[in-house]
Amino acid sequence: RHTTIWSGHSIIMNEQFSQRIHAGLQTAQAWDADPTLLSECRLYIPFELLSSEHLSYSSNTTFEGQKNEKSYFRPDDDNYEGDDLFLKRLTVFFQDMMTWVNNPPCSICGQKDTKCIGVRGPKSHEEHEGCASRVEVYHCPDCNASTTTFPRYNSPRKLLETRKGRCGEYANLFGLFCRASGFETRYILDFTDHVWVEVWSNRLGRWIMADACEGKIDVPSMYEKGWGKKLNYILGITHDSVSDVTKRYTRFFHSEEFLSRRRIICNSEIQSEAIIAQINNSLKSHAPKSRISFLERRVEEENFYFQRIASSNTWDDTDYNVGRLSGSLAWRLAREEIKERNDTCLDASKSTAPSANFYHVNQFFPTPHGANKVIVVVNTPPSTDCLTFPSCLVISGVSCGAGIPGTTSVALIHENNGCILDLCLFETLSDTRAF
């Protein structure tokens, strides 16, 4: 008989791994816990406008910030159909509903440039009722007050009321909207600090990812190839099942580097599989046999899918390759989630601004040309042989375009002082809408 002896450190790792799974289960289970909440949620969803039969993008669609019945349609809609097309449009609709919070304005004077000075537990009745996991505390430089808070609510009912937050709130509430729309929905827990959902597509016969922060569906390459994330564990969690779905989101699963990152989270593959199996067995003890058989078939189908993609150890050139769009530039930089999107721009900028980091706002403040005067110049390359042309876009004398042939360079600048807030490079013009 073989006996496994776990060290104290391994036991702590296992407990933390299990705790995070149970936290994800609470989120997924809350979506179906209150039937009246699902009914309320359905009242927000314009089912007719999101259906595949209603209108098409080509029929005089406008994107001028005006709310109209065609605003949920996009040029690439023809790549989808049926339930996945509805899901795609649902993500577009959902982005209109939500407000991203980088830092809340001062509750006293309204100053927007508040700074987070700490985190505390929930104190007020509202914070407890909204199941706030933590409360961020902010300081205002104008009135010198530290009374502004941002509770990180986990209650889907509270989120339906506030409709603001970051990726955690987005994924949580969007999962509720998916369930209200009739989708089988998973809460996707990425142990490198991100969450989204997967839904089951009857048309495709598989789970497809949907990231409400980015407004993207069925682009699993986005995190590893686009954002440059160093993934380890990604789990799919429903109200009664847990699955390790990491293989959907990486092409390097069997590399030693990837496996070593997983061992930082859980000591071994055997231990993580045992923990997931133990939780699943506990969930199955409350499920009817028909549901258990159904879940087991789904696991077999998904494992077969993972086996099919296991032979590929690289993403295709056509796979999604854009860095993160949601959140402030400083926040994305701190999380290192804009790597792939910006590498070309960073390299192209070195010849024109060697002393400045191409993406730090404070280091990219052009010399003003008089009071509130910003000069924007767009140039064409001298020849078609140019590999890069940073001077394609010049803001008050600062060359800031990547100038890669066949791409579009976009700069976001402050209209009064010319401060360059963000710089991006896009392969297609339509992609700039998300930016």
PDB file of all heavy atoms in Angstrom, residues 21-22 24-33 179 183-187 207 236-242 279-280 282-284 286-288 291 294-295:
ATOM      1  N   ILE A  21     -11.962  27.528  -5.409  1.00  0.00           N
ATOM      2  CA  ILE A  21     -12.991  26.802  -6.161  1.00  0.00           C
ATOM      3  C   ILE A  21     -14.358  26.994  -5.511  1.00  0.00           C
ATOM      4  O   ILE A  21     -15.355  27.255  -6.187  1.00  0.00           O
ATOM      5  CB  ILE A  21     -12.647  25.306  -6.262  1.00  0.00           C
ATOM      6  CG1 ILE A  21     -11.367  25.111  -7.067  1.00  0.00           C
ATOM      7  CG2 ILE A  21     -13.802  24.533  -6.907  1.00  0.00           C
ATOM      8  CD1 ILE A  21     -10.875  23.682  -7.121  1.00  0.00           C
ATOM      9  N   HIS A  22     -14.409  26.887  -4.190  1.00  0.00           N
ATOM     10  CA  HIS A  22     -15.685  27.047  -3.484  1.00  0.00           C
ATOM     11  C   HIS A  22     -16.221  28.465  -3.629  1.00  0.00           C
ATOM     12  O   HIS A  22     -17.449  28.664  -3.715  1.00  0.00           O
ATOM     13  CB  HIS A  22     -15.517  26.666  -2.011  1.00  0.00           C
ATOM     14  CG  HIS A  22     -15.494  25.189  -1.774  1.00  0.00           C
ATOM     15  ND1 HIS A  22     -16.624  24.399  -1.891  1.00  0.00           N
ATOM     16  CD2 HIS A  22     -14.485  24.343  -1.435  1.00  0.00           C
ATOM     17  CE1 HIS A  22     -16.322  23.142  -1.627  1.00  0.00           C
ATOM     18  NE2 HIS A  22     -15.022  23.082  -1.340  1.00  0.00           N
ATOM     19  N   GLY A  24     -15.802  30.289  -6.292  1.00  0.00           N
ATOM     20  CA  GLY A  24     -16.371  30.281  -7.633  1.00  0.00           C
ATOM     21  C   GLY A  24     -17.711  29.572  -7.684  1.00  0.00           C
ATOM     22  O   GLY A  24     -18.624  29.989  -8.401  1.00  0.00           O
ATOM     23  N   LEU A  25     -17.827  28.478  -6.919  1.00  0.00           N
ATOM     24  CA  LEU A  25     -19.107  27.766  -6.848  1.00  0.00           C
ATOM     25  C   LEU A  25     -20.215  28.659  -6.292  1.00  0.00           C
ATOM     26  O   LEU A  25     -21.347  28.640  -6.781  1.00  0.00           O
ATOM     27  CB  LEU A  25     -18.957  26.516  -5.983  1.00  0.00           C
ATOM     28  CG  LEU A  25     -18.421  25.256  -6.658  1.00  0.00           C
ATOM     29  CD1 LEU A  25     -18.065  24.205  -5.623  1.00  0.00           C
ATOM     30  CD2 LEU A  25     -19.456  24.704  -7.638  1.00  0.00           C
ATOM     31  N   GLN A  26     -19.891  29.441  -5.275  1.00  0.00           N
ATOM     32  CA  GLN A  26     -20.885  30.350  -4.703  1.00  0.00           C
ATOM     33  C   GLN A  26     -21.375  31.344  -5.738  1.00  0.00           C
ATOM     34  O   GLN A  26     -22.571  31.662  -5.793  1.00  0.00           O
ATOM     35  CB  GLN A  26     -20.280  31.080  -3.498  1.00  0.00           C
ATOM     36  CG  GLN A  26     -20.053  30.200  -2.281  1.00  0.00           C
ATOM     37  CD  GLN A  26     -19.403  30.968  -1.130  1.00  0.00           C
ATOM     38  OE1 GLN A  26     -18.997  32.115  -1.276  1.00  0.00           O
ATOM     39  NE2 GLN A  26     -19.298  30.320   0.016  1.00  0.00           N
ATOM     40  N   THR A  27     -20.460  31.830  -6.569  1.00  0.00           N
ATOM     41  CA  THR A  27     -20.852  32.763  -7.627  1.00  0.00           C
ATOM     42  C   THR A  27     -21.786  32.104  -8.622  1.00  0.00           C
ATOM     43  O   THR A  27     -22.849  32.648  -8.952  1.00  0.00           O
ATOM     44  CB  THR A  27     -19.608  33.298  -8.357  1.00  0.00           C
ATOM     45  OG1 THR A  27     -18.773  34.001  -7.432  1.00  0.00           O
ATOM     46  CG2 THR A  27     -19.992  34.225  -9.494  1.00  0.00           C
ATOM     47  N   ALA A  28     -21.406  30.928  -9.117  1.00  0.00           N
ATOM     48  CA  ALA A  28     -22.225  30.231 -10.109  1.00  0.00           C
ATOM     49  C   ALA A  28     -23.577  29.804  -9.541  1.00  0.00           C
ATOM     50  O   ALA A  28     -24.598  29.859 -10.224  1.00  0.00           O
ATOM     51  CB  ALA A  28     -21.467  29.018 -10.652  1.00  0.00           C
ATOM     52  N   GLN A  29     -23.590  29.373  -8.301  1.00  0.00           N
ATOM     53  CA  GLN A  29     -24.838  28.930  -7.678  1.00  0.00           C
ATOM     54  C   GLN A  29     -25.790  30.087  -7.412  1.00  0.00           C
ATOM     55  O   GLN A  29     -27.012  29.918  -7.428  1.00  0.00           O
ATOM     56  CB  GLN A  29     -24.521  28.181  -6.390  1.00  0.00           C
ATOM     57  CG  GLN A  29     -23.862  26.828  -6.625  1.00  0.00           C
ATOM     58  CD  GLN A  29     -23.298  26.193  -5.365  1.00  0.00           C
ATOM     59  OE1 GLN A  29     -23.195  26.840  -4.317  1.00  0.00           O
ATOM     60  NE2 GLN A  29     -22.910  24.926  -5.448  1.00  0.00           N
ATOM     61  N   ALA A  30     -25.234  31.297  -7.188  1.00  0.00           N
ATOM     62  CA  ALA A  30     -26.076  32.459  -6.916  1.00  0.00           C
ATOM     63  C   ALA A  30     -26.896  32.855  -8.133  1.00  0.00           C
ATOM     64  O   ALA A  30     -27.959  33.472  -7.989  1.00  0.00           O
ATOM     65  CB  ALA A  30     -25.213  33.635  -6.464  1.00  0.00           C
ATOM     66  N   TRP A  31     -26.435  32.520  -9.334  1.00  0.00           N
ATOM     67  CA  TRP A  31     -27.182  32.889 -10.541  1.00  0.00           C
ATOM     68  C   TRP A  31     -28.556  32.232 -10.584  1.00  0.00           C
ATOM     69  O   TRP A  31     -29.509  32.814 -11.091  1.00  0.00           O
ATOM     70  CB  TRP A  31     -26.400  32.482 -11.789  1.00  0.00           C
ATOM     71  CG  TRP A  31     -25.100  33.204 -11.965  1.00  0.00           C
ATOM     72  CD1 TRP A  31     -24.760  34.430 -11.461  1.00  0.00           C
ATOM     73  CD2 TRP A  31     -23.954  32.739 -12.679  1.00  0.00           C
ATOM     74  NE1 TRP A  31     -23.479  34.764 -11.823  1.00  0.00           N
ATOM     75  CE2 TRP A  31     -22.953  33.743 -12.579  1.00  0.00           C
ATOM     76  CE3 TRP A  31     -23.661  31.591 -13.408  1.00  0.00           C
ATOM     77  CZ2 TRP A  31     -21.698  33.619 -13.175  1.00  0.00           C
ATOM     78  CZ3 TRP A  31     -22.418  31.457 -13.992  1.00  0.00           C
ATOM     79  CH2 TRP A  31     -21.447  32.465 -13.882  1.00  0.00           C
ATOM     80  N   ASP A  32     -28.647  31.006 -10.052  1.00  0.00           N
ATOM     81  CA  ASP A  32     -29.912  30.269 -10.106  1.00  0.00           C
ATOM     82  C   ASP A  32     -30.629  30.218  -8.767  1.00  0.00           C
ATOM     83  O   ASP A  32     -31.685  29.593  -8.659  1.00  0.00           O
ATOM     84  CB  ASP A  32     -29.652  28.837 -10.587  1.00  0.00           C
ATOM     85  CG  ASP A  32     -29.146  28.797 -12.021  1.00  0.00           C
ATOM     86  OD1 ASP A  32     -29.935  29.105 -12.930  1.00  0.00           O
ATOM     87  OD2 ASP A  32     -27.963  28.462 -12.230  1.00  0.00           O
ATOM     88  N   ALA A  33     -30.075  30.853  -7.765  1.00  0.00           N
ATOM     89  CA  ALA A  33     -30.638  30.746  -6.421  1.00  0.00           C
ATOM     90  C   ALA A  33     -31.962  31.485  -6.278  1.00  0.00           C
ATOM     91  O   ALA A  33     -32.798  31.108  -5.457  1.00  0.00           O
ATOM     92  CB  ALA A  33     -29.640  31.270  -5.389  1.00  0.00           C
ATOM     93  N   ARG A 179     -27.499  33.184 -17.996  1.00  0.00           N
ATOM     94  CA  ARG A 179     -28.476  32.244 -17.443  1.00  0.00           C
ATOM     95  C   ARG A 179     -29.903  32.727 -17.707  1.00  0.00           C
ATOM     96  O   ARG A 179     -30.778  31.932 -18.048  1.00  0.00           O
ATOM     97  CB  ARG A 179     -28.259  32.095 -15.927  1.00  0.00           C
ATOM     98  CG  ARG A 179     -27.000  31.374 -15.539  1.00  0.00           C
ATOM     99  CD  ARG A 179     -26.992  29.909 -15.998  1.00  0.00           C
ATOM    100  NE  ARG A 179     -28.079  29.156 -15.415  1.00  0.00           N
ATOM    101  CZ  ARG A 179     -28.982  28.470 -16.118  1.00  0.00           C
ATOM    102  NH1 ARG A 179     -28.927  28.448 -17.450  1.00  0.00           N
ATOM    103  NH2 ARG A 179     -29.928  27.803 -15.501  1.00  0.00           N
ATOM    104  N   PHE A 183     -28.855  30.218 -21.463  1.00  0.00           N
ATOM    105  CA  PHE A 183     -27.598  29.514 -21.718  1.00  0.00           C
ATOM    106  C   PHE A 183     -27.162  28.711 -20.495  1.00  0.00           C
ATOM    107  O   PHE A 183     -27.283  29.181 -19.366  1.00  0.00           O
ATOM    108  CB  PHE A 183     -26.473  30.498 -22.038  1.00  0.00           C
ATOM    109  CG  PHE A 183     -26.544  31.099 -23.410  1.00  0.00           C
ATOM    110  CD1 PHE A 183     -26.843  32.440 -23.560  1.00  0.00           C
ATOM    111  CD2 PHE A 183     -26.299  30.335 -24.535  1.00  0.00           C
ATOM    112  CE1 PHE A 183     -26.890  33.017 -24.821  1.00  0.00           C
ATOM    113  CE2 PHE A 183     -26.348  30.897 -25.800  1.00  0.00           C
ATOM    114  CZ  PHE A 183     -26.644  32.244 -25.945  1.00  0.00           C
ATOM    115  N   GLU A 184     -26.631  27.498 -20.742  1.00  0.00           N
ATOM    116  CA  GLU A 184     -25.858  26.824 -19.703  1.00  0.00           C
ATOM    117  C   GLU A 184     -24.569  27.612 -19.551  1.00  0.00           C
ATOM    118  O   GLU A 184     -23.868  27.865 -20.538  1.00  0.00           O
ATOM    119  CB  GLU A 184     -25.550  25.387 -20.107  1.00  0.00           C
ATOM    120  CG  GLU A 184     -26.748  24.463 -20.145  1.00  0.00           C
ATOM    121  CD  GLU A 184     -26.318  23.063 -20.512  1.00  0.00           C
ATOM    122  OE1 GLU A 184     -25.580  22.443 -19.710  1.00  0.00           O
ATOM    123  OE2 GLU A 184     -26.673  22.608 -21.605  1.00  0.00           O
ATOM    124  N   THR A 185     -24.241  27.995 -18.333  1.00  0.00           N
ATOM    125  CA  THR A 185     -23.169  28.967 -18.138  1.00  0.00           C
ATOM    126  C   THR A 185     -22.176  28.496 -17.088  1.00  0.00           C
ATOM    127  O   THR A 185     -22.563  27.987 -16.039  1.00  0.00           O
ATOM    128  CB  THR A 185     -23.751  30.331 -17.710  1.00  0.00           C
ATOM    129  OG1 THR A 185     -24.772  30.719 -18.634  1.00  0.00           O
ATOM    130  CG2 THR A 185     -22.674  31.393 -17.669  1.00  0.00           C
ATOM    131  N   ARG A 186     -20.916  28.670 -17.391  1.00  0.00           N
ATOM    132  CA  ARG A 186     -19.828  28.391 -16.463  1.00  0.00           C
ATOM    133  C   ARG A 186     -19.186  29.703 -16.016  1.00  0.00           C
ATOM    134  O   ARG A 186     -19.014  30.620 -16.822  1.00  0.00           O
ATOM    135  CB  ARG A 186     -18.725  27.582 -17.143  1.00  0.00           C
ATOM    136  CG  ARG A 186     -18.919  26.094 -17.233  1.00  0.00           C
ATOM    137  CD  ARG A 186     -17.779  25.556 -18.087  1.00  0.00           C
ATOM    138  NE  ARG A 186     -17.636  24.122 -17.993  1.00  0.00           N
ATOM    139  CZ  ARG A 186     -16.819  23.397 -18.753  1.00  0.00           C
ATOM    140  NH1 ARG A 186     -16.053  24.013 -19.653  1.00  0.00           N
ATOM    141  NH2 ARG A 186     -16.734  22.097 -18.618  1.00  0.00           N
ATOM    142  N   TYR A 187     -18.794  29.749 -14.779  1.00  0.00           N
ATOM    143  CA  TYR A 187     -17.950  30.818 -14.261  1.00  0.00           C
ATOM    144  C   TYR A 187     -16.507  30.375 -14.453  1.00  0.00           C
ATOM    145  O   TYR A 187     -16.109  29.312 -13.975  1.00  0.00           O
ATOM    146  CB  TYR A 187     -18.256  31.043 -12.782  1.00  0.00           C
ATOM    147  CG  TYR A 187     -17.476  32.147 -12.110  1.00  0.00           C
ATOM    148  CD1 TYR A 187     -17.740  33.480 -12.388  1.00  0.00           C
ATOM    149  CD2 TYR A 187     -16.487  31.840 -11.178  1.00  0.00           C
ATOM    150  CE1 TYR A 187     -17.035  34.493 -11.750  1.00  0.00           C
ATOM    151  CE2 TYR A 187     -15.780  32.852 -10.529  1.00  0.00           C
ATOM    152  CZ  TYR A 187     -16.056  34.171 -10.825  1.00  0.00           C
ATOM    153  OH  TYR A 187     -15.365  35.165 -10.186  1.00  0.00           O
ATOM    154  N   TRP A 207     -18.370  24.208 -25.395  1.00  0.00           N
ATOM    155  CA  TRP A 207     -18.333  25.424 -24.587  1.00  0.00           C
ATOM    156  C   TRP A 207     -17.558  26.498 -25.336  1.00  0.00           C
ATOM    157  O   TRP A 207     -16.526  26.217 -25.952  1.00  0.00           O
ATOM    158  CB  TRP A 207     -17.645  25.162 -23.244  1.00  0.00           C
ATOM    159  CG  TRP A 207     -18.394  24.255 -22.319  1.00  0.00           C
ATOM    160  CD1 TRP A 207     -18.190  22.912 -22.139  1.00  0.00           C
ATOM    161  CD2 TRP A 207     -19.465  24.609 -21.436  1.00  0.00           C
ATOM    162  NE1 TRP A 207     -19.060  22.416 -21.201  1.00  0.00           N
ATOM    163  CE2 TRP A 207     -19.855  23.445 -20.754  1.00  0.00           C
ATOM    164  CE3 TRP A 207     -20.122  25.809 -21.148  1.00  0.00           C
ATOM    165  CZ2 TRP A 207     -20.873  23.432 -19.799  1.00  0.00           C
ATOM    166  CZ3 TRP A 207     -21.134  25.810 -20.207  1.00  0.00           C
ATOM    167  CH2 TRP A 207     -21.507  24.630 -19.545  1.00  0.00           C
ATOM    168  N   GLY A 236     -13.456  25.812 -14.990  1.00  0.00           N
ATOM    169  CA  GLY A 236     -14.831  26.110 -15.374  1.00  0.00           C
ATOM    170  C   GLY A 236     -15.773  25.586 -14.299  1.00  0.00           C
ATOM    171  O   GLY A 236     -15.753  24.393 -13.974  1.00  0.00           O
ATOM    172  N   ILE A 237     -16.610  26.465 -13.776  1.00  0.00           N
ATOM    173  CA  ILE A 237     -17.430  26.119 -12.608  1.00  0.00           C
ATOM    174  C   ILE A 237     -18.905  26.409 -12.892  1.00  0.00           C
ATOM    175  O   ILE A 237     -19.276  27.547 -13.209  1.00  0.00           O
ATOM    176  CB  ILE A 237     -16.967  26.919 -11.370  1.00  0.00           C
ATOM    177  CG1 ILE A 237     -15.482  26.664 -11.097  1.00  0.00           C
ATOM    178  CG2 ILE A 237     -17.800  26.567 -10.152  1.00  0.00           C
ATOM    179  CD1 ILE A 237     -14.891  27.562 -10.035  1.00  0.00           C
ATOM    180  N   THR A 238     -19.723  25.398 -12.798  1.00  0.00           N
ATOM    181  CA  THR A 238     -21.178  25.573 -12.846  1.00  0.00           C
ATOM    182  C   THR A 238     -21.721  25.395 -11.434  1.00  0.00           C
ATOM    183  O   THR A 238     -20.954  25.230 -10.478  1.00  0.00           O
ATOM    184  CB  THR A 238     -21.844  24.562 -13.786  1.00  0.00           C
ATOM    185  OG1 THR A 238     -21.753  23.240 -13.204  1.00  0.00           O
ATOM    186  CG2 THR A 238     -21.163  24.552 -15.148  1.00  0.00           C
ATOM    187  N   HIS A 239     -23.034  25.401 -11.300  1.00  0.00           N
ATOM    188  CA  HIS A 239     -23.622  25.252  -9.971  1.00  0.00           C
ATOM    189  C   HIS A 239     -23.399  23.857  -9.403  1.00  0.00           C
ATOM    190  O   HIS A 239     -23.481  23.658  -8.184  1.00  0.00           O
ATOM    191  CB  HIS A 239     -25.121  25.560 -10.007  1.00  0.00           C
ATOM    192  CG  HIS A 239     -25.930  24.519 -10.726  1.00  0.00           C
ATOM    193  ND1 HIS A 239     -25.951  24.414 -12.104  1.00  0.00           N
ATOM    194  CD2 HIS A 239     -26.740  23.528 -10.252  1.00  0.00           C
ATOM    195  CE1 HIS A 239     -26.747  23.418 -12.448  1.00  0.00           C
ATOM    196  NE2 HIS A 239     -27.234  22.863 -11.349  1.00  0.00           N
ATOM    197  N   ASP A 240     -23.071  22.878 -10.277  1.00  0.00           N
ATOM    198  CA  ASP A 240     -22.914  21.517  -9.765  1.00  0.00           C
ATOM    199  C   ASP A 240     -21.743  20.764 -10.397  1.00  0.00           C
ATOM    200  O   ASP A 240     -21.731  19.534 -10.415  1.00  0.00           O
ATOM    201  CB  ASP A 240     -24.207  20.716  -9.963  1.00  0.00           C
ATOM    202  CG  ASP A 240     -24.604  20.560 -11.429  1.00  0.00           C
ATOM    203  OD1 ASP A 240     -23.922  21.165 -12.297  1.00  0.00           O
ATOM    204  OD2 ASP A 240     -25.595  19.857 -11.713  1.00  0.00           O
ATOM    205  N   SER A 241     -20.746  21.488 -10.912  1.00  0.00           N
ATOM    206  CA  SER A 241     -19.587  20.797 -11.489  1.00  0.00           C
ATOM    207  C   SER A 241     -18.383  21.732 -11.554  1.00  0.00           C
ATOM    208  O   SER A 241     -18.527  22.954 -11.616  1.00  0.00           O
ATOM    209  CB  SER A 241     -19.907  20.282 -12.904  1.00  0.00           C
ATOM    210  OG  SER A 241     -20.101  21.364 -13.794  1.00  0.00           O
ATOM    211  N   VAL A 242     -17.209  21.113 -11.532  1.00  0.00           N
ATOM    212  CA  VAL A 242     -15.949  21.847 -11.657  1.00  0.00           C
ATOM    213  C   VAL A 242     -15.076  21.103 -12.659  1.00  0.00           C
ATOM    214  O   VAL A 242     -14.927  19.878 -12.578  1.00  0.00           O
ATOM    215  CB  VAL A 242     -15.208  21.944 -10.302  1.00  0.00           C
ATOM    216  CG1 VAL A 242     -13.882  22.691 -10.477  1.00  0.00           C
ATOM    217  CG2 VAL A 242     -16.071  22.619  -9.258  1.00  0.00           C
ATOM    218  N   ILE A 279     -14.478  17.578  -4.820  1.00  0.00           N
ATOM    219  CA  ILE A 279     -15.561  18.573  -4.858  1.00  0.00           C
ATOM    220  C   ILE A 279     -16.684  18.098  -5.771  1.00  0.00           C
ATOM    221  O   ILE A 279     -17.864  18.221  -5.444  1.00  0.00           O
ATOM    222  CB  ILE A 279     -15.006  19.936  -5.321  1.00  0.00           C
ATOM    223  CG1 ILE A 279     -14.040  20.493  -4.274  1.00  0.00           C
ATOM    224  CG2 ILE A 279     -16.141  20.927  -5.578  1.00  0.00           C
ATOM    225  CD1 ILE A 279     -13.331  21.757  -4.696  1.00  0.00           C
ATOM    226  N   ASN A 280     -16.328  17.515  -6.914  1.00  0.00           N
ATOM    227  CA  ASN A 280     -17.348  17.012  -7.831  1.00  0.00           C
ATOM    228  C   ASN A 280     -18.149  15.868  -7.214  1.00  0.00           C
ATOM    229  O   ASN A 280     -19.370  15.772  -7.393  1.00  0.00           O
ATOM    230  CB  ASN A 280     -16.709  16.556  -9.140  1.00  0.00           C
ATOM    231  CG  ASN A 280     -16.462  17.712 -10.103  1.00  0.00           C
ATOM    232  OD1 ASN A 280     -17.248  18.652 -10.168  1.00  0.00           O
ATOM    233  ND2 ASN A 280     -15.380  17.642 -10.850  1.00  0.00           N
ATOM    234  N   SER A 282     -18.782  15.457  -4.091  1.00  0.00           N
ATOM    235  CA  SER A 282     -19.686  16.069  -3.116  1.00  0.00           C
ATOM    236  C   SER A 282     -20.894  16.686  -3.799  1.00  0.00           C
ATOM    237  O   SER A 282     -22.034  16.550  -3.328  1.00  0.00           O
ATOM    238  CB  SER A 282     -18.931  17.133  -2.310  1.00  0.00           C
ATOM    239  OG  SER A 282     -19.796  17.790  -1.412  1.00  0.00           O
ATOM    240  N   LEU A 283     -20.658  17.350  -4.953  1.00  0.00           N
ATOM    241  CA  LEU A 283     -21.765  17.958  -5.688  1.00  0.00           C
ATOM    242  C   LEU A 283     -22.688  16.893  -6.271  1.00  0.00           C
ATOM    243  O   LEU A 283     -23.917  17.067  -6.294  1.00  0.00           O
ATOM    244  CB  LEU A 283     -21.214  18.850  -6.808  1.00  0.00           C
ATOM    245  CG  LEU A 283     -20.445  20.107  -6.364  1.00  0.00           C
ATOM    246  CD1 LEU A 283     -19.736  20.745  -7.554  1.00  0.00           C
ATOM    247  CD2 LEU A 283     -21.397  21.107  -5.722  1.00  0.00           C
ATOM    248  N   LYS A 284     -22.120  15.792  -6.738  1.00  0.00           N
ATOM    249  CA  LYS A 284     -22.922  14.722  -7.324  1.00  0.00           C
ATOM    250  C   LYS A 284     -23.817  14.042  -6.299  1.00  0.00           C
ATOM    251  O   LYS A 284     -24.872  13.485  -6.644  1.00  0.00           O
ATOM    252  CB  LYS A 284     -22.006  13.667  -7.963  1.00  0.00           C
ATOM    253  CG  LYS A 284     -21.334  14.117  -9.243  1.00  0.00           C
ATOM    254  CD  LYS A 284     -20.402  13.029  -9.759  1.00  0.00           C
ATOM    255  CE  LYS A 284     -19.678  13.478 -11.006  1.00  0.00           C
ATOM    256  NZ  LYS A 284     -18.722  12.440 -11.509  1.00  0.00           N
ATOM    257  N   HIS A 286     -25.760  15.245  -4.348  1.00  0.00           N
ATOM    258  CA  HIS A 286     -27.057  15.916  -4.260  1.00  0.00           C
ATOM    259  C   HIS A 286     -27.782  15.950  -5.606  1.00  0.00           C
ATOM    260  O   HIS A 286     -28.856  16.550  -5.707  1.00  0.00           O
ATOM    261  CB  HIS A 286     -26.865  17.356  -3.767  1.00  0.00           C
ATOM    262  CG  HIS A 286     -26.119  17.468  -2.484  1.00  0.00           C
ATOM    263  ND1 HIS A 286     -26.659  17.090  -1.262  1.00  0.00           N
ATOM    264  CD2 HIS A 286     -24.849  17.895  -2.208  1.00  0.00           C
ATOM    265  CE1 HIS A 286     -25.772  17.293  -0.309  1.00  0.00           C
ATOM    266  NE2 HIS A 286     -24.665  17.779  -0.849  1.00  0.00           N
ATOM    267  N   ALA A 287     -27.207  15.317  -6.625  1.00  0.00           N
ATOM    268  CA  ALA A 287     -27.783  15.381  -7.968  1.00  0.00           C
ATOM    269  C   ALA A 287     -28.461  14.076  -8.342  1.00  0.00           C
ATOM    270  O   ALA A 287     -28.035  12.998  -7.919  1.00  0.00           O
ATOM    271  CB  ALA A 287     -26.683  15.706  -8.979  1.00  0.00           C
ATOM    272  N   PRO A 288     -29.531  14.129  -9.149  1.00  0.00           N
ATOM    273  CA  PRO A 288     -30.178  12.902  -9.630  1.00  0.00           C
ATOM    274  C   PRO A 288     -29.271  12.163 -10.606  1.00  0.00           C
ATOM    275  O   PRO A 288     -28.353  12.750 -11.200  1.00  0.00           O
ATOM    276  CB  PRO A 288     -31.444  13.416 -10.327  1.00  0.00           C
ATOM    277  CG  PRO A 288     -31.145  14.837 -10.676  1.00  0.00           C
ATOM    278  CD  PRO A 288     -30.238  15.339  -9.604  1.00  0.00           C
ATOM    279  N   ARG A 291     -28.784  13.620 -14.103  1.00  0.00           N
ATOM    280  CA  ARG A 291     -27.881  14.759 -14.179  1.00  0.00           C
ATOM    281  C   ARG A 291     -26.424  14.300 -14.113  1.00  0.00           C
ATOM    282  O   ARG A 291     -25.572  14.823 -14.828  1.00  0.00           O
ATOM    283  CB  ARG A 291     -28.173  15.746 -13.038  1.00  0.00           C
ATOM    284  CG  ARG A 291     -27.248  16.947 -12.962  1.00  0.00           C
ATOM    285  CD  ARG A 291     -27.366  17.831 -14.174  1.00  0.00           C
ATOM    286  NE  ARG A 291     -26.471  18.980 -14.100  1.00  0.00           N
ATOM    287  CZ  ARG A 291     -26.287  19.855 -15.090  1.00  0.00           C
ATOM    288  NH1 ARG A 291     -26.939  19.693 -16.241  1.00  0.00           N
ATOM    289  NH2 ARG A 291     -25.472  20.886 -14.932  1.00  0.00           N
ATOM    290  N   PHE A 294     -25.469  12.964 -17.429  1.00  0.00           N
ATOM    291  CA  PHE A 294     -25.340  14.081 -18.360  1.00  0.00           C
ATOM    292  C   PHE A 294     -23.992  14.768 -18.195  1.00  0.00           C
ATOM    293  O   PHE A 294     -23.289  15.055 -19.176  1.00  0.00           O
ATOM    294  CB  PHE A 294     -26.481  15.071 -18.129  1.00  0.00           C
ATOM    295  CG  PHE A 294     -26.390  16.319 -18.966  1.00  0.00           C
ATOM    296  CD1 PHE A 294     -26.819  16.317 -20.281  1.00  0.00           C
ATOM    297  CD2 PHE A 294     -25.892  17.500 -18.432  1.00  0.00           C
ATOM    298  CE1 PHE A 294     -26.738  17.464 -21.056  1.00  0.00           C
ATOM    299  CE2 PHE A 294     -25.810  18.647 -19.191  1.00  0.00           C
ATOM    300  CZ  PHE A 294     -26.236  18.628 -20.508  1.00  0.00           C
ATOM    301  N   LEU A 295     -23.600  15.028 -16.961  1.00  0.00           N
ATOM    302  CA  LEU A 295     -22.332  15.695 -16.690  1.00  0.00           C
ATOM    303  C   LEU A 295     -21.149  14.834 -17.119  1.00  0.00           C
ATOM    304  O   LEU A 295     -20.150  15.343 -17.649  1.00  0.00           O
ATOM    305  CB  LEU A 295     -22.221  16.034 -15.203  1.00  0.00           C
ATOM    306  CG  LEU A 295     -23.167  17.119 -14.680  1.00  0.00           C
ATOM    307  CD1 LEU A 295     -23.039  17.243 -13.162  1.00  0.00           C
ATOM    308  CD2 LEU A 295     -22.870  18.460 -15.336  1.00  0.00           C
TER     309      LEU A 295
END
